[in-house]
Amino acid sequence: MPNFKEQNQSVKEFTVEKAYLQFIFPFALKKDCSNKLIQQLQQQGYEFFTLDNSHLQDKYYGDHTVSHYQMEKIFLPNIEPIIFPSDLTKKEGFRRFSKTFNQEYFLKGKYLQTTFQLLSIDIIICPFQIGMMNIRVELPDNMSYSEVIEFTDLFRVMEPLVEEDSDIQIGIKNQSYKMIKDFIFESLCPFMKDFLDEKNANSSYFGSLPFYIDERLYVVGYIALQEDSMLDVEEIYRLGSISGFDNKGHPFTGAKNSAYMKRFYDNHVYDRWADETYYVVTDYTFSCMTKSQGELTYMLANQMFGQYYYSFLLFYYYRIALMKLTYEQRKLHKGIKGIDVDNLIIQITEFSAKIYNTEINSRLAGKEISNYVRKVLDIDKLFTQVNKTLNDLYKNEERMTSKKHNYLLQILTVYTVISGIYGMNLVIHNWEGKIAWDKFSHYTIFEYIALFVALSGIIISTGMAIQAVRSYIRAKKRSRKNYL
């Protein structure tokens, strides 16, 4: 909710026949806890999602159905193992666990009070210790357009940072909460708190991703309007910027410059089926808004639960993973303990080779919408930055290795020269058989030098041999380790 009121600006109002919202929260998992989390999820009634389980097609989406057969045909063959892993052991895939709730709750804000149906929750375990939670919500029929956007704005604030966002209540009659994060982690998924990596507890934002501003949930939305609704750029902009009510309770647009809103439209709106259906992609939401009727509106909703949801999810994960790898590289340059150069190089390489793909859809519309998501989320820019990071790491490793070799060569040269001068035999005869300890006190300065060179050479050679063995063992362990 903004802290201003726009003056002399008329805002159109529409009736929303149907609205489905999916709120996505990314988080970091504690190291090596995924197996324990899987066990906990199964104990809590969450079911592992696979395309082979056709009985799951209509279990989590209210009155809608997601065809698993069609999902298999939509994504490219190299993408399916990532987003639809066949079993729980596939760590390079999105291991999704889902649970049906179908329970009614209420949300009360300063200018909005409504019930909503919580359909289901997904917990998705992704590679590189990243997880995502998806909360599916169905709003009551025939709400106003402004009320739907206001609900979206209120629900996505995990932890209010300004006073205007703090005046809410959510829950059921006998148990309500004043923050969305408490509603989620105390009522819906209290067990999840044990698995969140909260090393960055001092961050000003709620969440466990210090490189990502995640106090607000990302929204995947589907909004079906009445057939006679007259959409324009301003109203589409409202959805993209999530502009519901201002601080006086009036619907607002969020901008006044029509040229600015037109630029926004050109960069963020996929309008192949205008003026009936629009797809809006921003940093806050990926939404479908339509005034189509009949079977078409049912199909569009199914797509937002199915193929477009997964297309977005993959690119959203790319964004988070790439930002994490960049963040790890910055920690490395700052000299923070626990960051290993070789480990980071392997993680970047495995991400690029096993997970990252720019083309994921086999259908034209899916490709075009995915391109909008990829562009808005800056995936190409982030990937280029990570590739540059990889090149920098290789160069730094080469420089460090070259320095080590130079230092070693200098040491060996010194010992070789001294050994050549003294022949390494000035005091050797005193070490044969029983060591003549009493002769040490009668050594000349040159014999002491020879003794020092011999003993230190033995010690250094032994240390170098031990270090070589340790490096070999570490390399073998690293080659067997799964970084996903």
Side-chain angles (χ1 to χ4, degrees), residues 145-174:
Y145 185 57
S146 296
E147 287 173 336
V148 170
I149 297 178
E150 181 69 7
F151 179 93
T152 304
D153 193 27
L154 292 175
F155 196 97
R156 65 187 291 262
V157 180
M158 291 285 278
E159 185 175 40
L161 300 180
V162 294
E163 185 178 351
E164 288 78 8
D165 294 333
S166 62
D167 190 16
I168 71 161
Q169 279 188 303
I170 186 170
I172 55 178
K173 184 177 181 181
N174 298 327

Side-chain angles (χ1 to χ4, degrees), residues 205-447:
Y205 298 106
F206 172 76
S208 54
L209 299 177
F211 50 86
Y212 198 81
I213 300 176
D214 52 3
E215 95 284 1
R216 294 180 185 267
L217 306 177
Y218 196 96
V219 186
V220 177
Y222 170 80
I223 297 175
L225 304 173
Q226 291 181 334
E227 188 174 11
D228 58 353
S229 302
M230 300 297 293
L231 297 172
D232 52 29
V233 172
E234 286 78 8
E235 301 311 310
I236 295 172
Y237 177 83
R238 288 189 68 194
L239 179 61
S241 60
I242 310 183
S243 304
F245 297 131
D246 63 16
N247 63 345
K248 300 296 183 181
H250 303 294
F252 82 110
T253 302
K256 297 182 70 174
N257 187 344
S258 59
Y260 172 85
M261 288 185 277
K262 181 61 171 62
R263 290 194 299 271
F264 169 89
Y265 181 96
D266 293 337
N267 293 323
H268 296 271
V269 180
Y270 179 70
D271 58 359
R272 179 180 178 181
W273 295 284
D275 64 342
E276 186 178 89
T277 300
Y278 301 86
Y279 291 88
V280 184
V281 186
T282 70
D283 288 332
Y284 319 115
T285 182
F286 167 45
S287 294
C288 171
M289 182 164 56
T290 183
K291 55 181 182 178
S292 60
Q293 300 295 311
E295 293 185 5
L296 180 57
T297 186
Y298 185 79
M299 182 197 75
L300 293 174
N302 293 346
Q303 289 177 337
M304 294 304 291
F305 284 128
Q307 68 179 85
Y308 294 151
Y309 166 67
Y310 271 101
S311 295
F312 163 78
L313 205 64
L314 186 59
F315 283 114
Y316 192 57
Y317 168 76
Y318 285 169
R319 177 180 175 86
I320 295 169
L322 289 168
M323 292 177 72
K324 178 181 180 181
L325 293 172
T326 302
Y327 176 72
E328 295 292 326
Q329 185 256 351
R330 289 174 181 171
K331 287 170 65 178
L332 187 68
H333 282 308
K334 291 180 180 179
I336 298 176
K337 293 182 178 180
I339 305 299
D340 186 272
V341 176
D342 291 336
N343 289 350
L344 184 56
I345 289 175
I346 293 173
Q347 287 184 54
I348 295 174
T349 304
E350 289 201 356
F351 175 82
S352 302
K354 295 182 179 180
I355 300 176
Y356 182 77
N357 294 275
T358 55
E359 294 291 336
I360 65 174
N361 296 95
S362 61
R363 307 276 178 92
L364 178 60
K367 287 182 179 180
E368 292 178 343
I369 292 176
S370 294
N371 286 338
Y372 267 83
V373 175
R374 193 173 84 231
K375 181 184 70 173
V376 171
L377 296 182
D378 274 339
I379 303 301
D380 293 340
K381 180 180 177 181
L382 289 169
F383 185 71
T384 300
Q385 185 175 353
V386 166
N387 267 340
K388 183 179 181 299
T389 293
L390 183 60
N391 292 333
D392 291 342
L393 290 174
Y394 275 125
K395 290 178 181 178
N396 287 336
E397 278 288 273
E398 290 175 358
R399 283 196 294 267
M400 294 299 296
T401 302
S402 178
K403 285 184 178 180
K404 289 179 181 178
H405 288 167
N406 288 337
Y407 292 147
L408 178 60
L409 184 60
Q410 290 175 11
I411 293 172
L412 294 177
T413 300
V414 170
Y415 277 91
T416 301
V417 171
I418 296 177
S419 299
I421 294 174
Y422 291 105
M424 290 298 291
N425 57 5
L426 289 180
V427 295
I428 292 297
H429 60 279
N430 294 328
W431 300 356
E432 296 175 354
K434 187 177 180 180
I435 299 176
W437 299 101
D438 57 322
K439 294 186 177 181
F440 286 1
S441 60
H442 302 293
Y443 279 1
T444 67
I445 184 64
F446 299 107
E447 287 176 321

Side-chain angles (χ1 to χ4, degrees), residues 12-29:
K12 290 183 181 179
E13 198 60 275
F14 307 109
T15 298
V16 177
E17 294 184 343
K18 208 70 173 174
Y20 296 97
L21 304 172
Q22 302 180 77
F23 296 91
I24 299 175
F25 169 64
F27 55 88
L29 285 167

Side-chain angles (χ1 to χ4, degrees), residues 29-47:
L29 285 167
K30 290 181 179 177
K31 189 176 182 180
D32 300 326
C33 79
S34 59
N35 291 334
K36 292 182 180 179
L37 175 56
I38 288 172
Q39 294 175 4
Q40 183 65 247
L41 288 168
Q42 291 174 328
Q43 292 174 8
Q44 295 291 329
Y46 287 78
E47 190 169 1

Side-chain angles (χ1 to χ4, degrees), residues 83-254:
I83 57 178
F84 304 122
S86 56
D87 61 67
L88 298 173
T89 63
K90 304 293 185 180
K91 292 187 176 182
E92 68 276 9
F94 290 7
R95 291 174 287 177
R96 168 184 162 185
F97 295 83
S98 301
K99 179 180 179 179
T100 302
F101 281 76
N102 288 330
Q103 185 172 346
E104 185 175 271
Y105 296 93
F106 77 87
L107 184 144
K108 180 181 179 182
K110 191 172 183 180
Y111 300 112
L112 174 69
Q113 182 172 351
T114 183
T115 59
F116 64 93
Q117 193 78 6
L118 197 153
L119 301 178
S120 59
I121 293 179
D122 294 341
I123 305 293
I124 305 170
I125 303 173
C126 305
F128 297 109
Q129 296 174 270
I130 294 173
M132 287 188 276
M133 176 187 294
N134 178 32
I135 303 172
R136 293 188 184 86
V137 166
E138 178 182 358
L139 297 185
D141 297 348
N142 300 318
M143 290 180 69
S144 73
Y145 185 57
S146 296
E147 287 173 336
V148 170
I149 297 178
E150 181 69 7
F151 179 93
T152 304
D153 193 27
L154 292 175
F155 196 97
R156 65 187 291 262
V157 180
M158 291 285 278
E159 185 175 40
L161 300 180
V162 294
E163 185 178 351
E164 288 78 8
D165 294 333
S166 62
D167 190 16
I168 71 161
Q169 279 188 303
I170 186 170
I172 55 178
K173 184 177 181 181
N174 298 327
Q175 188 176 25
S176 63
Y177 303 88
K178 293 191 175 183
M179 287 192 290
I180 299 297
K181 74 165 188 176
D182 294 337
F183 173 62
I184 294 174
F185 291 106
E186 293 183 20
S187 176
L188 302 181
C189 306
F191 62 92
M192 282 299 299
K193 291 186 291 186
D194 296 332
F195 299 96
L196 297 182
D197 186 355
E198 298 184 306
K199 292 179 182 177
N200 200 55
N202 294 327
S203 171
S204 59
Y205 298 106
F206 172 76
S208 54
L209 299 177
F211 50 86
Y212 198 81
I213 300 176
D214 52 3
E215 95 284 1
R216 294 180 185 267
L217 306 177
Y218 196 96
V219 186
V220 177
Y222 170 80
I223 297 175
L225 304 173
Q226 291 181 334
E227 188 174 11
D228 58 353
S229 302
M230 300 297 293
L231 297 172
D232 52 29
V233 172
E234 286 78 8
E235 301 311 310
I236 295 172
Y237 177 83
R238 288 189 68 194
L239 179 61
S241 60
I242 310 183
S243 304
F245 297 131
D246 63 16
N247 63 345
K248 300 296 183 181
H250 303 294
F252 82 110
T253 302

